[in-house]
Structure formats: structure tokens, C-alpha cells
Amino acid sequence: MATPIFKASVPHSNPLLHSLLPLLWTGTVNSVPKKNNLLLLPLRASSELNSLRSEVSLCVGSHLIPHPNKVEKGGEDAFFTSSYSGGVLAIADGVSGWAEEDVDPALFSRELIANASGFVPDEEVNYDPQVLIRKAHAATSSIGSATVIVAMLERNGTLKIANVGDCGLKLIREGQIIFSTTPQEHYFDCPYQLSSETVGQTYLDAMVSSLEAIEGDIIVMGSDGLFDNVFDHEIVSTIGQHRNVSDAAKVLANLARVHSLDSSYDSPYALEARSKGIEPPWWKKIIGMQLTGGKLDDITVIVAQIVSSL
């Protein structure tokens, strides 16, 4: 499926659809120290961790799997990670509906993420993800649109998040998801998106969150290619089984790819489609089959662990 460009003139009954691909160039800035990429699962109680709290940073792993039809092109997603302050993570997911208008959907997301990476240390940004989105969007001249999410960790453990659209983030603590972002959409499969068009969303539409992370917490960030194909319990199970953040990111991305190719898999995407009244193809409908299957898409996964900076 493809995600629609949001335009006032596009009727809901005839949406342009999108699919998002991981960008093979990661745009990594000031790469976050890997520290052996170990997922050091917490051994102390939360109260004890708080009492021993020290400055923290991110240990990051990532993995990208392009949509099968867009491998040669390199995809329409872009991301960067940075070790600035406690660490910064960002994903921009290009809206492929622009291809119907002879516009390369990757240009907007790549320029947006490049601009964001450059503005991270900017004084006006002041380590605020919503302001970072504003400045990056204002500096982007390419035609197109993209969903975007930015997470910034302060050294004292404050995790600040701003997202526009359906890229997402989950924070896992001691085997439980304690926080999840909520997708923003105009209607099914048409997410909020930053755009070169005046009818698109802006940084003011971003969902902004701030929470206190502790050493041992795990961040899982991804494009909708991850969350449309992998359930929360699968994410938690995968994180629990892999102590290396790079391995965990790769396993999650591969799991999403396997599910996306399975037409009989009852995916999160299929469940949501049915809940919104989307019907299966006529040939399935006449034999009594329901809408099932994963969603072919770009899959971008970032797994980061909160670690002591000492």
C-alpha cells in the first residue's frame, strides 16, 4: 500500500497511497559510541537506579530494509543518530504518493533529515525536538512531504520526543513498554506529514512528549514499516532475547520484512484496516475471506539503550 499525499483537493474516497523505504545512506552524525553494543538489561530495582543516577547517553544500533521494489533506488526514508549531549535519534519517512506526480519522494525526506542533523547544536533549537523540526522544515526546499520523529536525550535522563505522523517510538523498561507515541492521521493510511505544500502540517502539529529515562531503558524507534507489521509483544520479546542493540534492530527489521510478505498474517496493519471498515479484494470477499496480510513497506529500525556515560 502507499500513503496519500495530504492535500485539501484529494478526496478521502480516492486517496493516493504510500509505502516508505529505508534510506541506505544513514546520514549518521557524530556517531553514538557503541560501547560493545550490549543491551545491558537492568539488574537493579528502579528505586535503587534512581538513587545511583549518573549522566547517561545512548548506545545505538540500526537496520534498514527497503521495500522490495525500491532497493536499487535506495528508498525514501532517511535517518540520523548523533552523540550530541545525551544522544539524538531521528527518522523521516518520505511519502511515496509524490511519485504519481513525477516527484522523487526521497528528496524531501533526505533534505529534511540532513537539515535536522545540521541544526542539532543550534542555539535557537536549544535541544528542543519541536524547534528542531521547525527549523529543519523551514530550511527544506525540495518538493514532497514526509512523516518525522525526533528524540533527544539529555544527560540527566530526560527524553524529549516530537513526532508528526506515523513514525513511532516505544520505551521499554524491565520487559514492559512504559511509553508509546500515538500515530497521527487524517484518515486510514494518510498520516500527518510535513510538506512543501501550504496545506500540510507544521511543527505546531507535532505530538510532543517528555519523560524520565533511566539506565537500562531501551528505545525502539521505527518507521511505520516496523509498527504496521510487528506487534508490541514481539518487540518486547525480541529485545529480551538480544543483548546487542545492532542485533536487536536487525532481528526486528527482518521480522517486519517476513510479516510484510505474508499474505495470511493477521498484522497490526490488517487489524486496523478492518477496524476502519476497509474490505478485502472482491475475490477474497466472495469466498468469505477477511482482510489479512502484512504491509509491504520500507522498514527502518533504531534500537538504543540508555547507558551510563561514566
Side-chain angles (χ1 to χ4, degrees):
M1 299 288 288
T3 294
I5 303 167
F6 179 68
K7 292 187 175 181
S9 60
V10 177
H12 288 200
S13 60
N14 185 27
L16 296 174
L17 300 176
H18 100 197
S19 11
L20 304 171
L21 272 181
L23 178 66
L24 299 182
W25 166 75
T26 64
T28 301
V29 177
N30 299 325
S31 183
V32 177
K34 294 191 176 183
K35 299 185 182 177
N36 297 323
N37 282 344
L38 290 179
L39 275 177
L40 304 174
L41 300 180
L43 299 178
R44 300 185 180 98
S46 296
S47 58
E48 184 181 354
L49 281 170
N50 283 330
S51 67
L52 300 175
R53 193 168 190 171
S54 60
E55 289 193 346
V56 294
S57 58
L58 295 176
C59 175
V60 181
S62 62
H63 198 73
L64 307 172
I65 301 178
H67 187 294
N69 297 335
K70 301 178 184 179
V71 174
E72 292 184 2
K73 175 183 169 184
E76 294 159 2
D77 281 9
F79 81 88
F80 79 88
T81 67
S82 170
S83 60
Y84 188 86
S85 188
V88 184
L89 312 172
I91 298 173
D93 191 343
V95 174
S96 64
W98 285 96
E100 301 295 326
E101 301 189 15
D102 295 322
V103 173
D104 183 353
L107 297 179
F108 186 90
S109 58
R110 291 178 181 179
E111 185 182 357
L112 179 69
I113 215 71
N115 289 333
S117 67
F119 281 123
V120 166
D122 186 82
E123 287 187 8
E124 185 180 352
V125 170
N126 195 30
Y127 214 63
D128 184 327
Q130 189 176 26
V131 179
L132 182 62
I133 288 174
R134 173 177 67 81
K135 296 204 71 170
H137 188 197
T140 300
S141 59
S142 297
I143 296 174
S145 56
T147 62
V148 64
I149 186 166
V150 177
M152 306 179 101
L153 179 70
E154 295 184 348
R155 291 194 179 276
N156 65 3
T158 300
L159 180 64
K160 299 183 288 189
I161 306 157
N163 65 291
V164 178
D166 58 4
C167 289
L169 179 149
K170 298 182 185 295
L171 185 68
I172 300 173
R173 179 175 298 165
E174 298 179 351
Q176 300 290 329
I177 294 175
I178 63 168
F179 172 82
S180 296
T181 56
T182 302
Q184 301 168 299
E185 61 180 16
H186 299 284
Y187 51 94
F188 179 69
D189 219 20
C190 182
Y192 281 24
Q193 53 204 254
L194 300 181
S195 177
S196 57
E197 306 299 302
T198 57
V199 296
Q201 280 65 61
T202 73
Y203 74 102
L204 293 173
D205 299 294
M207 183 172 291
V208 179
S209 307
S210 180
L211 54 150
E212 295 304 311
I214 62 175
E215 186 178 348
D217 285 354
I218 311 296
I219 297 168
V220 177
M221 179 188 283
S223 62
D224 62 339
L226 170 64
F227 301 114
D228 281 344
N229 289 298
V230 180
F231 287 98
D232 284 358
H233 69 87
E234 295 176 298
I235 292 174
V236 171
S237 175
T238 299
I239 292 299
Q241 293 171 19
H242 296 87
R243 295 176 58 82
N244 180 292
V245 289
S246 294
D247 288 347
K250 183 176 182 180
V251 171
L252 281 173
N254 282 326
L255 180 61
R257 179 184 62 83
V258 170
H259 286 336
S260 73
L261 295 168
D262 186 351
S263 61
S264 63
Y265 174 61
D266 206 12
S267 66
Y269 181 78
L271 290 175
E272 183 185 2
R274 292 202 304 271
S275 74
K276 299 294 177 63
I278 308 299
E279 296 186 346
W282 66 268
W283 56 270
K284 282 190 174 183
K285 194 173 180 180
I286 61 175
I287 59 175
M289 295 179 66
Q290 66 178 1
L291 183 67
T292 58
K295 180 186 178 186
L296 275 177
D297 210 340
D298 310 343
I299 301 163
T300 302
V301 181
I302 300 174
V303 176
Q305 184 174 28
I306 315 296
V307 297
S308 172
S309 298
L310 300 179

